[in-house]
Amino acid sequence: MPNLITTTHQSLLSRLSKVNRLFAQKIESKLAPMGISYQEMRIVGLLMGETNITQKMLAQKLSVRAATLSVAISKLETQGLVKRVSSKTDKRVNYLHLISDRKIAKVETLLADLESEVTQGLSSEDLLTTSRVLLHIIDKLQIQGRK
């Protein structure tokens, strides 16, 4: 008979994975009319608040190859959402800068609305507990990633 704790953890990881997949599908369908993909939205989200992030660093954060990321960055550049800036000390290095745009504001609103929609009916206490649990899991995974 399986250990209840092990089963619960496996179930939790499975549910987190399912939430991620469903959330990505929902976001993708809402972003499509705006001409931006889920992957591009993730790039934009990671660039928010960043000042000196390279394409290589961003690729690591997204767990993709830099070459794969290059196509999405080029599309975002064409849309006027991202700008590549060459390093003054090493011309092989490009920094990525987010350019403020109405489309980005729409994406932020879309994400906030979706979060409100999917958390409707949950108490503030439940949301706080969920947030604490997720932050704990994130911390543990980041520590494991450094080992």
Side-chain angles (χ1 to χ4, degrees):
M1 185 164 166
N3 180 326
L4 180 60
I5 293 172
T6 304
T7 305
T8 302
H9 287 298
Q10 289 171 345
S11 177
L12 178 63
L13 294 175
S14 175
R15 287 181 181 147
L16 285 171
S17 180
K18 187 171 185 174
V19 165
N20 188 47
R21 280 192 317 278
L22 291 170
F23 200 62
Q25 290 170 356
K26 186 75 167 178
I27 291 170
E28 187 79 48
S29 70
K30 290 186 176 269
L31 290 173
M34 297 170 63
I36 188 166
S37 72
Y38 177 66
Q39 180 70 1
E40 292 160 354
M41 189 251 357
R42 288 182 62 212
I43 293 167
V44 167
L46 285 171
L47 290 176
M48 287 179 179
E50 294 282 351
T51 52
N52 283 319
I53 188 167
T54 65
Q55 190 167 319
K56 182 178 179 180
M57 292 162 65
L58 185 60
Q60 289 171 336
K61 286 184 178 207
L62 291 167
S63 299
V64 298
R65 291 187 345 233
T68 303
L69 185 60
S70 185
V71 174
I73 297 293
S74 293
K75 185 174 176 197
L76 289 168
E77 254 186 323
T78 301
Q79 293 179 31
L81 299 175
V82 171
K83 182 177 181 180
R84 292 179 221 226
V85 179
S86 295
S87 168
K88 292 176 182 163
T89 57
D90 186 347
K91 294 300 175 193
R92 296 170 297 172
V93 175
N94 285 313
Y95 294 104
L96 303 173
H97 295 273
L98 190 62
I99 299 169
S100 225
D101 182 87
R102 261 189 265 163
K103 188 181 278 191
I104 292 171
K106 280 183 172 181
V107 169
E108 288 175 326
T109 301
L110 178 144
L111 293 174
D113 290 349
L114 182 57
E115 185 173 318
S116 278
E117 180 184 320
V118 300
T119 59
Q120 186 177 15
L122 295 175
S123 70
S124 296
E125 184 179 319
D126 284 346
L127 290 172
L128 186 59
T129 299
T130 302
S131 181
R132 270 197 311 266
V133 168
L134 291 174
L135 286 172
H136 177 82
I137 291 169
I138 290 166
D139 287 344
K140 291 290 185 179
L141 289 170
Q142 287 176 334
I143 290 167
Q144 290 296 321
R146 288 185 222 129
K147 289 183 180 179

